[in-house]
Amino acid sequence: MKRLFYTLSLALALVSCSTAPKSADSAVDQRVEDLLSKMTLEEKIGQLNQLSSMNNLEDMAKQIREGRVGSILNEVEPGRINALQRIAKDESRLGIPILMSRDVIHGFKTIAPIPLGQAASFDLEAVEAAARIAAIEATNDGIRWTFSPMIDIARDARWGRIAEGYGEDTYLTSLMGAATIRGYQGPDLSDPTSMAACAKHFCGYGASEGGRDYNTANITPRQLLDVYLPPFQKAAEAGAATYMTSFNEIDGVPSTANSYLLKTMLRDAWHSDAMVVTDWASTSEMLAHGNTYDRADVAAKAINAGVDMEMVGETFIQNLPQLLKEGRVKLSTIDNAVRNVLRLKFRLGLFENPYVDENKRVAYAPEFIEKTLKLATESAILLKNADETLPLSSKVKTVALVGPMADAAYEQSGTWTFDGDASHTVTPLAALQAINGIKVLYEPALTHCRDQKAAGIASAVAKAKQADVVICVVGEEAIMSGEAHCLADINLYGKQKDLVEALSKTGKPLVTVIMAGRPLTIAKQVEESDALLYMFHPGTTGGTALVDLLFGKAVPSGKTPVTFPYMVGQVPIYYNHKNSGRPAAGTELLIDQTPVGAGQTSLGCSSYWLDAGFGPLFPFGYGLSYTTFEYSNLKLSKTELAKNETLHVTFDLANTGKYDATEICQLYIRDLVGSVTRPIKELKGFKRVALKAGEKTTVEFDLNMADLAFTTLDMKHEVEPGDFKLWVAANSDDNTNEASFTVK
Ligand code: BGC
């Protein structure tokens, strides 16, 4: 293992050659050294300790006075934050401010769509803006450090935390993560509205076996380098101020004791001086993992691996003095960890001003709502629109609004919304009722998404029969996704399936809207509905976004950031898989078509499921519009390139339908032969292109050959010469516009 990681570190050292070391911030470093030189051992170790907020202020105050606290998480009341900072500044020996932290994951007060929804927008500017809003609102209450973005690649919808990340693709996740970091941190960390970001969970947490949270991640060294680590490297380039170790182990090593991740990669290869925090008690949880003997062993393994700050575990504060005496931890190791903590506090300007203005409130500002609405609208994905059911015509006067998510303010905000006030959330019901000239017949039918009582369905059907159109809003309550909320069955829960089926039988046009934290297996509901809009929990402005889309004030543009399976048994399922030696042709017989008594090899022997076939319900990058787009005239600037050259790709995009709209154009490549097998497709670019009805434009992409590098057979990060295919496409399954080029 050690040897392998050594080889990998060499490989990554090569990757990093292009990454310039961070410019030294000498003034800050000088202040750090001055302060460090005055600190006692206890004060140093205190800086490495993060407390969870306690009800009794005095309990925290006592520890702060004694210099035993570096950071507090989950303290959000400005008055209390000021009181604690005053104690730190005036009553502790060295006056070191406290780093106040919170999980601000997709908004603080104004709640943006969950990150998976944000990814569906493919809109980096809008995502950065959402993070900026979150930072302005949270810092206004005294929070200067958030535990976001989560940039774990997730290819298994059973895993509840798929909601918190940007989906299955490394390239998309890398860019989304960097945009989010830029938004939180702003141009200068010392600005009072800047909030330190935390790239988490470092690393591989999204690969939890079986989609069960906290589980072992089985990741090969090459997958780690090519799939799971790049978003974290990109985060380092974006200047992520902190990293969080993940709960999982990889190949027997829990991340909190993984020096390959925390030193070889983060420090040596990426030159990051970010502060590393553990996940919640992921230090002491190493006892359960079984790689440590006792709490002292835990502390030694974590700090020696490269952890700086311990979130609530308290093994550092209890054991580091003794470990130092025994020589199991060096003073220089502790000093380095303290440096990383202090540097961040200086950079945030906390020494100059740790306080918050208790009289200034900026939550839910109109421009925040406007920007959040834009992102929520762009995050919605139109998965079906038979016979142009949407947008609703002006003839629609009576709407039956049905379903447990139609007026569920808290639930539509999704996971991790500790601070948003649900009274500011606009539900579909509220938004519809605000439209003049529309009569709304509302019937939730089920009290919540898991409701097993079918009694309300009859009255929903009765209302549907009186309406011109039925809007049925179903999905998942907030609690059904997020941390620890994994599912082995990803169908609609409760009687929601029966509800959709009963409504479809009324013969009225049925628009199904799904608000959920993960892609659900909805093949049946797609069939039963005339139109289907998917909204990963859309947040504060979700109802307004939905109604704007339904009535054509806005046109859907979102595309799936994850593959949607037909059946849960298909997961993990993702577009950039390997081909295998026996790829399916797509013409294989399914189980119902297979003759009784069929001979053992009569079906052929290819890689597919007898019951689910080969492909997904919806591929990655998929989403419809009210208009139609045509791609044509694909041209490459060259067909033979050197490894350091850039390929210029152009094509024409025409809006051939009736509506002004935006298309998310995607650029994919396939490396046909490598020293190791290559994915069948890889996303290498995307662009949101707005076109008026009937308009046509030329779209351009630049593809650097350097971006075709991968971890080769001998573990080098390199571009290998050879033939490539390239597509400009509406989704990952669209092969119509194809070209070829060769790298010499
Ligand atoms: C989660 C982290 C989170 C932390 C603090 C942990 O359980 O895994 O993502 O930041 O708690 O709330």
Side-chain angles (χ1 to χ4, degrees):
M1 178 77 181
K2 223 176 181 166
R3 217 187 141 77
L4 179 57
F5 273 163
Y6 176 67
T7 324
L8 292 182
S9 66
L10 278 183
L12 261 289
L14 291 172
V15 182
S16 70
C17 287
S18 57
T19 316
K22 269 191 168 306
S23 64
D25 189 342
S26 56
V28 165
D29 286 348
Q30 193 52 53
R31 293 178 78 183
V32 168
E33 294 309 319
D34 287 351
L35 185 51
L36 192 66
S37 69
K38 296 182 189 130
M39 293 170 84
T40 64
L41 178 65
E42 283 65 32
E43 284 165 339
K44 288 177 182 177
I45 295 170
Q47 285 303 307
L48 312 184
N49 188 32
Q50 184 181 54
L51 284 187
S52 175
S53 160
M54 301 167 180
N55 279 340
N56 185 344
L57 213 53
E58 195 40 48
D59 289 345
M60 286 187 282
K62 181 170 179 301
Q63 298 193 55
I64 293 172
R65 267 185 215 108
E66 292 165 1
R68 294 168 59 84
V69 185
S71 170
I72 294 178
L73 85 153
N74 294 338
E75 186 55 71
V76 282
E77 210 277 298
R80 283 168 58 103
I81 286 182
N82 279 347
L84 293 169
Q85 294 288 28
R86 230 167 264 126
I87 288 162
K89 209 162 173 12
D90 303 339
E91 298 180 31
S92 75
R93 194 178 74 90
L94 293 169
I96 304 175
I98 305 291
L99 188 47
M100 296 293 178
S101 62
R102 177 73 153 172
D103 289 282
V104 180
I105 307 294
H106 53 110
F108 184 63
K109 297 287 185 187
T110 307
I111 304 300
I114 56 171
L116 191 58
Q118 297 188 26
S121 75
F122 286 71
D123 187 339
L124 300 174
E125 266 175 40
V127 167
E128 182 175 335
R132 189 87 284 275
I133 292 166
I136 294 170
E137 289 187 342
T139 54
N140 179 71
D141 276 17
I143 311 299
R144 296 298 305 279
W145 179 22
T146 180
F147 305 117
S148 170
M150 189 191 99
I151 45 178
D152 298 316
I153 299 301
R155 295 170 163 181
D156 189 333
R158 294 172 297 181
W159 191 51
R161 301 196 83 166
I162 196 170
E164 296 176 42
Y166 304 101
E168 72 187 34
D169 185 60
T170 300
Y171 176 77
L172 179 61
T173 298
S174 300
L175 295 184
M176 286 281 159
T180 304
I181 291 164
R182 286 196 300 273
Y184 289 143
Q185 298 192 169
D188 184 348
L189 267 185
S190 69
D191 187 287
T193 68
S194 289
M195 180 162 70
C198 184
K200 74 183 189 186
H201 303 86
F202 195 39
C203 188
Y205 185 36
S208 292
E209 194 174 80
R212 180 163 54 80
D213 212 357
Y214 314 122
N215 206 1
T216 301
N218 288 312
I219 300 175
T220 68
R222 193 173 278 106
Q223 285 169 338
L224 189 62
L225 289 167
D226 287 351
V227 178
Y228 293 93
L229 284 175
F232 290 90
Q233 180 173 5
K234 192 82 185 165
E237 288 165 21
T242 73
Y243 278 67
M244 183 187 290
T245 64
S246 59
F247 283 128
N248 59 285
E249 63 157 275
I250 299 174
D251 201 18
V253 186
S255 298
T256 302
N258 192 329
S259 66
Y260 167 73
L261 292 175
L262 306 182
K263 289 185 178 163
T264 312
M265 302 312 302
L266 185 65
R267 306 294 183 209
D268 303 342
W270 306 338
H271 309 295
S272 167
D273 63 5
M275 191 252 276
V276 174
V277 67
T278 69
D279 203 339
W280 184 287
S282 68
T283 37
S284 48
E285 287 173 13
M286 290 200 286
L287 291 167
H289 273 290
N291 70 322
T292 46
Y293 297 102
D294 53 23
R295 289 173 61 81
D297 194 25
V298 161
K301 288 212 163 92
I303 198 156
N304 286 334
V307 165
D308 298 320
M309 181 180 279
E310 187 183 15
M311 185 186 283
V312 309
E314 301 201 351
T315 67
F316 283 11
I317 201 146
Q318 290 161 7
N319 298 287
L320 285 182
Q322 183 60 25
L323 288 167
L324 188 68
K325 273 190 205 141
E326 291 169 13
R328 290 165 69 190
V329 172
K330 290 191 193 130
L331 183 59
S332 59
T333 304
I334 296 176
D335 280 351
N336 275 337
V338 178
R339 282 188 181 97
N340 292 337
V341 175
L342 294 181
R343 192 187 311 109
L344 178 58
K345 292 186 177 185
F346 279 115
R347 283 186 179 158
L348 284 166
L350 284 177
F351 284 87
E352 283 66 44
N353 183 17
Y355 304 117
V356 52
D357 181 347
E358 290 172 44
N359 299 316
K360 189 174 126 221
R361 300 273 67 86
V362 294
Y364 307 109
E367 72 264 30
F368 296 171
I369 298 293
E370 194 185 311
K371 286 185 175 159
T372 307
L373 173 60
K374 176 175 184 281
L375 182 55
T377 310
E378 291 177 356
S379 298
I381 312 165
L382 182 66
L383 292 177
K384 181 178 181 182
N385 195 20
D387 304 321
E388 298 185 44
T389 305
L390 292 177
L392 298 175
S393 93
S394 53
K395 289 189 201 127
V396 168
K397 297 291 173 219
T398 306
V399 174
L401 180 67
V402 175
M405 291 296 283
D407 190 32
Y410 172 73
E411 312 301 350
Q412 80 177 41
S413 288
T415 187
W416 289 120
T417 53
F418 291 146
D419 304 288
D421 175 352
S423 71
H424 285 264
T425 297
V426 182
T427 65
L429 177 64
L432 255 187
Q433 284 173 335
I435 295 189
N436 280 334
I438 297 286
K439 185 170 170 201
V440 183
L441 306 174
Y442 172 58
E443 171 54 67
L446 307 168
T447 57
H448 58 283
C449 297
R450 291 163 293 147
D451 192 350
Q452 293 290 358
K453 293 186 233 49
I457 295 181
S459 97
V461 166
K463 294 231 163 78
K465 286 182 177 159
Q466 300 164 42
D468 301 320
V469 66
V470 186
I471 313 291
C472 176
V473 194
V474 290
E476 292 184 313
E477 298 150 55
I479 193 69
M480 294 171 74
S481 63
E483 183 173 354
H485 305 151
C486 303
L487 292 171
D489 177 359
I490 54 171
N491 274 309
L492 284 172
Y493 268 77
K495 291 287 179 208
Q496 296 187 107
K497 291 190 289 272
D498 306 59
L499 176 62
V500 176
E501 185 180 332
L503 293 170
S504 82
K505 286 187 179 151
T506 64
K508 294 286 179 173
L510 173 61
V511 179
T512 299
V513 179
I514 298 185
M515 292 183 173
R518 55 164 66 75
L520 295 168
T521 41
I522 48 164
K524 185 161 178 287
Q525 290 72 43
V526 172
E527 247 174 58
E528 290 166 344
S529 310
D530 296 286
L532 194 139
L533 262 169
Y534 211 93
M535 301 179 94
F536 292 112
H537 289 130
T540 304
T541 59
T544 317
L546 173 63
V547 167
D548 285 355
L549 291 163
L550 292 176
F551 287 91
K553 190 172 163 196
V555 176
S557 61
K559 302 237 181 177
T560 51
V562 275
T563 302
F564 277 56
Y566 281 102
M567 297 181 195
V568 70
Q570 290 179 289
V571 299
I573 183 167
Y574 48 95
Y575 82 95
N576 50 355
H577 58 84
K578 302 293 186 71
N579 205 31
S580 87
R582 294 188 174 187
T587 50
E588 285 82 0
L589 286 189
L590 297 185
I591 197 155
D592 292 337
Q593 303 158 325
T594 302
V596 174
Q600 159 79 27
T601 55
S602 63
L603 301 180
C605 294
S606 61
S607 179
Y608 77 109
W609 291 275
L610 271 180
D611 50 356
F614 175 69
L617 177 61
F618 297 111
F620 173 87
Y622 181 85
L624 303 170
S625 170
Y626 297 155
T627 197
T628 44
F629 290 102
E630 254 177 46
Y631 291 64
S632 64
N633 205 18
L634 170 61
K635 285 187 195 143
L636 308 188
S637 59
K638 282 183 165 187
T639 52
E640 286 194 358
L641 295 97
K643 285 182 185 178
N644 58 359
E645 281 190 280
T646 297
L647 178 65
H648 189 61
V649 180
T650 60
F651 62 97
D652 293 339
L653 181 75
N655 179 343
T656 50
K658 291 183 292 197
Y659 300 88
D660 301 351
T662 295
E663 166 72 339
I664 298 166
C665 304
Q666 298 152 51
L667 175 80
Y668 293 93
I669 61 106
R670 178 170 180 183
D671 185 349
L672 296 185
V673 180
S675 59
V676 293
T677 60
R678 309 292 301 126
I680 62 151
K681 266 189 188 173
E682 293 174 80
L683 183 70
K684 291 289 177 187
F686 57 83
K687 253 183 198 165
R688 292 179 54 89
V689 182
L691 285 181
K692 300 225 175 304
E695 200 185 347
K696 187 174 179 177
T697 192
T698 300
V699 183
E700 308 182 32
F701 281 109
D702 280 323
L703 178 65
N704 293 327
M705 294 302 101
D707 292 341
L708 304 176
F710 63 97
T711 306
T712 60
L713 183 62
D714 49 8
M715 299 310 285
K716 290 192 176 129
H717 182 80
E718 275 183 357
V719 187
E720 287 183 342
D723 295 335
F724 289 77
K725 275 191 179 169
L726 176 151
W727 298 266
V728 292
N731 63 69
S732 63
D733 201 26
D734 170 8
N735 296 323
T736 38
N737 291 279
E738 179 182 301
S740 301
F741 66 92
T742 303
V743 176
K744 291 285 179 195

